Amino acid sequence: EDQVTQSPEALRLQEGESSSLNCSYTVSGLRGLFWYRQDPGKGPEFLFTLYSAGEEKEKERLKATLTKKESFLHITAPKPEDSATYLCAVQAYLNYGGSQGNLIFGKGTKLSVKP
Amino acid sequence: DVKVTQSSRYLVKRTGEKVFLECVQDMDHENMFWYRQDPGLGLRLIYFSYDVKMKEKGDIPEGYSVSREKKERFSLILESASTNQTSMYLCASSSTQKQWTGAGDTQYFGPGTRLTVL
């Protein structure tokens, strides 16, 4: 069964203290891995899509990497405005089952950055 | 920019009422989705649609129905609202990429509707 596990559930950092969030996945054929940011009371905001192992993408203080079993979201010198819940999701290829277009979401990591 | 809008940010309804939640996207996406999000349970898929007038059940369709009469609009209907349907409801849309491109289908979300059923 396809599944996504994110760790830790919650992470508290001091401003400037770099760290990483983990997303472990099990899927028969990975079509894409997605990272979203979600602020309290709002809808998830798309950050990155990764397609193949070894791929990396960056946006400001965030860098996402992908291996065959997991993805990391590295946060360099975080600021209080980076506080949010970060969601990871995967999409499987149709030939390996799963519904067309559907994403499987992890439960998220709640990041708090203190000044 | 992709834009997905939802009809209400906050909604309060009484048990037994029929509730309509509307979602509109402006990017000509084929696919539209309805999720609910609850603390500790994450995002759960209720229904989705890959084309006008088409719908498929997600993981938790009980107590809900949907309607897609136009490509840009996807409605979620609670036939008889119950207190356990109090939740954050999120709509999303995506465009299906050709599989041979290796590109996944990025879903874009609306702002959400916080529904309270009393």
Side-chain angles (χ1 to χ4, degrees), chain A residues 61-76:
Chain A
R61 295 176 292 282
L62 301 177
K63 179 180 176 180
T65 61
L66 181 65
T67 72
K68 289 186 177 180
K69 294 183 178 180
E70 57 192 349
S71 175
F72 290 95
L73 185 65
H74 306 278
I75 303 176
T76 302

Side-chain angles (χ1 to χ4, degrees), chain A residues 4-61:
Chain A
V4 176
T5 303
Q6 291 188 247
S7 62
E9 288 186 16
L11 182 63
R12 290 188 174 189
L13 299 173
Q14 288 296 126
E15 185 172 1
E17 179 187 2
S18 301
S19 188
S20 298
L21 282 55
N22 178 263
C23 171
S24 298
Y25 64 90
T26 304
V27 64
S28 300
L30 180 69
R31 185 170 169 188
L33 185 141
F34 306 85
W35 282 100
Y36 290 85
R37 169 192 169 126
Q38 187 175 24
D39 293 305
K42 296 186 178 181
E45 174 189 350
F46 170 68
L47 292 174
F48 304 109
T49 309
L50 301 167
Y51 303 118
S52 58
E55 190 175 2
E56 299 182 351
K57 288 195 177 172
E58 287 187 66
K59 181 179 180 180
E60 296 180 358
R61 295 176 292 282

Side-chain angles (χ1 to χ4, degrees), chain B:
Chain B
D1 277 356
V2 174
K3 189 156 188 187
V4 180
T5 57
Q6 295 184 228
S7 50
S8 305
R9 291 301 309 276
Y10 301 95
L11 210 52
V12 179
K13 295 292 181 181
R14 297 251 176 229
T15 302
E17 280 192 78
K18 192 169 186 176
V19 181
F20 293 87
L21 302 181
E22 283 213 317
C23 175
V24 178
Q25 50 94 5
D26 67 356
M27 289 304 294
D28 200 35
H29 285 170
E30 314 87 80
N31 312 315
M32 297 189 75
F33 306 82
W34 274 108
Y35 296 88
R36 65 177 283 177
Q37 187 175 34
D38 301 286
L41 298 178
L43 279 162
R44 293 182 290 169
L45 183 63
I46 305 171
Y47 266 98
F48 54 98
S49 169
Y50 293 129
D51 202 348
V52 176
K53 297 191 184 294
M54 292 184 68
K55 59 185 179 184
E56 291 195 40
K57 294 179 180 179
D59 301 319
I60 52 164
E62 296 78 20
Y64 303 95
S65 62
V66 290
S67 172
R68 194 166 180 200
E69 296 296 318
K70 292 185 178 181
K71 190 175 185 179
E72 68 272 16
R73 192 179 298 268
F74 193 34
S75 301
L76 179 69
I77 304 153
L78 285 66
E79 297 291 343
S80 177
S82 63
T83 55
N84 62 13
Q85 292 178 310
T86 291
S87 186
M88 172 69 123
Y89 288 87
L90 292 160
C91 175
S93 71
S94 72
S95 180
T96 299
Q97 306 298 314
K98 300 295 183 186
Q99 286 206 97
W100 55 263
T101 66
D105 305 338
T106 302
Q107 289 187 16
Y108 297 91
F109 285 83
T113 295
R114 172 71 65 184
L115 173 67
T116 301
V117 183
L118 303 175

